[in-house]
Amino acid sequence: MWYLCYFLHRLLDYRLPEIEALAKLHGYSDGDKVGQGLQWKQAPDHHPDSPFYYVNLPNEGIARKVATQSLLLKGMYEVWGEGCTHEELKEAVEHYPEEYKAPYLAEDTTFKIVIDCFGKILTFNEQSARIESVSYVPFKQNGLPPLAAKRMYFAREIGCSDRSVVAKYELSRRKYLGPTAMDAEIALLMAHQALVKPGKLVYDPFVGTGSILVAAAHYGAFTMGADIDIRVVRDGKGPNCNVWSNFKQYNLGEPLGLIRADNNSPPWRSDVCEIFDAIICDPPYGVRAGGRKSGGRKMLNGKRDAYVIPEEMRKDHIPSTAPYTLVECVHDLFDMAARLLVMGGRLVYFFPAAREDCSESHFPKHPCFTLIANSEQILSTRWSRCLITMEKSAKYTEEMAMEAHQKHLDFKDNHTQLLEETREKGSLHSLVFGPTEALVGESQNLLAASVGINQLPPEVRAKYRGKYV
């Protein structure tokens, strides 16, 4: 059955993937990729950034579970009628099957009237007038909730999201934070994309202060984390202000373990495989904190041999590190995930990209994984970061590892070319956080509405969505 999704107007590229992930989490999916997992449609002439989408779900039970867990839905509705005018709306409601309306029109039923208008605020008198204008619906008491804008809907509410969870975990209330702590809303959305639920085992190889694992623990997962900085995972800012205290603050199950580990030289034995249900992370890509790997410059350049730390110095020793490029980091992440994820397990991570490069062809690939979703979050007029969701679809073998290495070399060549272009235009940091360019003209916005935002050439794509959407 088709249900109307009324979305919040934020994180626009995250909305449909979140609903598809939640539907799969609750046992329903028609496929793997966005656009295949669920059927979607919009009202005629609606812009792709519109908050109104129809989704086809098998029953009201699934729809309610999805709606109540979603972070980006205002509500999900069974539409009784829609139209561009009050006359069209009236005709549509009157033709809606009586057997669907009857249970909610009986004398012993109650109802609540909610008036909502996207992009406009209605006065009390205007709301009252809208209620009176649809008195043709035979409720036993007067009134019903219309939506009046360019298109009007009359619908029965199936479920609404509870965003109090976002306020509960917001970073301003967190005891222990670092410069790269993941925003609470994004961390919870990442957990949705990873299909996190009670009993799952989730790993973050760049755990930092644990924001992503806190989100996973909220949904009942067992968690583990690693970080190259021993001071973060062991000491924090003291015995009552560390990663562990973040879990105690919310009465969540503490991680099974936090280890000092280097993503470039993972600590797992060669016979350890398929132990994690999900790997969720925000790899370092050098804007707020550059990536580091063990060894130091002299050792990596062959000027110094490896050495053993004396036993009496091991507790407080901080190993030397060297810069760790994004290309290396992602290759090592894929190799580890291919080994350690169970079949069907998900890898969810962020990847920085130029606005015109936020497409499947520009992302790193691995033969063990299938791309499920790519959700762009715009940072500036030129740069974005993309939340990539991948699912393990093939066993890890030596042949797969060789094929993956070749894909890595191809990706490295393309990424090197991108860096050269970046140097010509300024540093990544200045491009991401530099002044925003002027908005596109009215004619370009009209073009975007007619052909779809993702089909436009890069120089024409609308830039009004801003940093947070």
Side-chain angles (χ1 to χ4, degrees), residues 188-299:
L188 291 163
L189 289 168
M190 294 174 81
H192 285 173
Q193 289 295 93
L195 306 181
V196 173
K197 62 181 180 181
K200 297 289 186 178
L201 180 57
V202 175
Y203 179 61
D204 181 357
F206 312 99
V207 67
T209 56
S211 295
I212 290 175
L213 294 189
V214 165
H218 168 77
Y219 293 115
F222 298 109
T223 59
M224 287 186 65
D227 201 281
I228 194 172
D229 192 341
I230 186 63
R231 296 164 294 184
V232 174
V233 296
R234 185 186 66 187
D235 304 323
K237 296 180 180 179
N240 297 315
C241 188
N242 50 43
V243 178
W244 305 98
S245 64
N246 283 343
F247 289 81
K248 293 177 182 177
Q249 177 181 351
Y250 301 112
N251 295 317
L252 297 173
E254 294 182 348
L256 300 179
L258 297 175
I259 56 177
R260 192 273 175 187
D262 180 1
N263 188 59
N264 185 241
S265 302
W268 314 100
R269 299 197 313 264
S270 59
D271 59 340
V272 174
C273 61
E274 299 193 359
I275 57 176
F276 297 119
D277 297 291
I279 295 176
I280 314 174
C281 60
D282 182 22
Y285 44 86
V287 176
R288 290 179 293 176
R292 309 294 294 180
K293 62 182 178 181
S294 299
R297 298 178 188 271
K298 291 183 178 180
M299 187 180 299

Side-chain angles (χ1 to χ4, degrees), residues 173-437:
R173 302 181 183 182
R174 194 75 56 83
K175 287 185 177 180
Y176 179 44
L177 291 175
T180 59
M182 180 61 66
D183 172 76
E185 181 181 29
I186 299 295
L188 291 163
L189 289 168
M190 294 174 81
H192 285 173
Q193 289 295 93
L195 306 181
V196 173
K197 62 181 180 181
K200 297 289 186 178
L201 180 57
V202 175
Y203 179 61
D204 181 357
F206 312 99
V207 67
T209 56
S211 295
I212 290 175
L213 294 189
V214 165
H218 168 77
Y219 293 115
F222 298 109
T223 59
M224 287 186 65
D227 201 281
I228 194 172
D229 192 341
I230 186 63
R231 296 164 294 184
V232 174
V233 296
R234 185 186 66 187
D235 304 323
K237 296 180 180 179
N240 297 315
C241 188
N242 50 43
V243 178
W244 305 98
S245 64
N246 283 343
F247 289 81
K248 293 177 182 177
Q249 177 181 351
Y250 301 112
N251 295 317
L252 297 173
E254 294 182 348
L256 300 179
L258 297 175
I259 56 177
R260 192 273 175 187
D262 180 1
N263 188 59
N264 185 241
S265 302
W268 314 100
R269 299 197 313 264
S270 59
D271 59 340
V272 174
C273 61
E274 299 193 359
I275 57 176
F276 297 119
D277 297 291
I279 295 176
I280 314 174
C281 60
D282 182 22
Y285 44 86
V287 176
R288 290 179 293 176
R292 309 294 294 180
K293 62 182 178 181
S294 299
R297 298 178 188 271
K298 291 183 178 180
M299 187 180 299
L300 293 174
N301 292 333
K303 297 180 180 179
R304 179 176 182 176
D305 295 331
Y307 55 93
V308 178
I309 307 302
E311 186 66 34
E312 65 273 13
M313 298 177 62
R314 289 188 178 185
K315 180 178 179 182
D316 297 318
H317 177 73
I318 299 176
S320 299
T321 60
Y324 190 30
T325 66
L326 177 64
V327 173
E328 287 182 280
C329 179
V330 173
H331 174 262
D332 295 337
L333 175 64
F334 272 29
D335 187 71
M336 178 193 63
R339 292 174 181 268
L340 300 183
L341 279 174
V342 301
M343 289 297 297
R346 287 196 169 186
L347 170 63
V348 180
Y349 72 100
F350 270 111
F351 188 81
R355 290 285 306 278
E356 62 269 21
D357 295 336
C358 290
S359 63
E360 181 176 345
S361 60
H362 290 88
F363 296 136
K365 298 176 177 63
H366 194 286
C368 288
F369 289 97
T370 299
L371 179 67
I372 301 299
N374 160 32
S375 302
E376 180 187 4
Q377 184 178 5
I378 297 171
L379 301 175
S380 74
T381 55
R382 173 161 172 73
W383 288 95
S384 295
R385 66 174 184 175
C386 301
L387 182 63
I388 309 298
T389 301
M390 309 192 81
E391 190 166 286
K392 185 175 177 181
S393 54
K395 288 278 188 180
Y396 182 88
T397 63
E398 291 302 322
E399 291 76 14
M400 287 290 191
M402 293 178 62
E403 184 180 345
H405 181 67
Q406 184 57 52
K407 289 181 179 293
H408 163 66
L409 294 178
D410 295 340
F411 171 72
K412 184 177 180 180
D413 292 340
N414 294 333
H415 191 72
T416 300
Q417 183 179 354
L418 172 63
L419 290 179
E420 291 175 354
E421 294 174 357
T422 299
R423 291 190 186 99
E424 295 175 0
K425 300 176 182 178
S427 67
L428 171 61
H429 188 282
S430 64
L431 284 169
V432 171
F433 294 103
T436 303
E437 298 175 6

Side-chain angles (χ1 to χ4, degrees), residues 65-86:
K65 289 178 180 178
V66 170
T68 53
Q69 191 171 344
S70 171
L71 301 176
L72 299 179
L73 266 183
K74 291 188 72 172
M76 189 175 291
Y77 304 88
E78 174 195 333
V79 176
W80 286 13
E82 62 175 293
C84 296
T85 65
H86 288 282

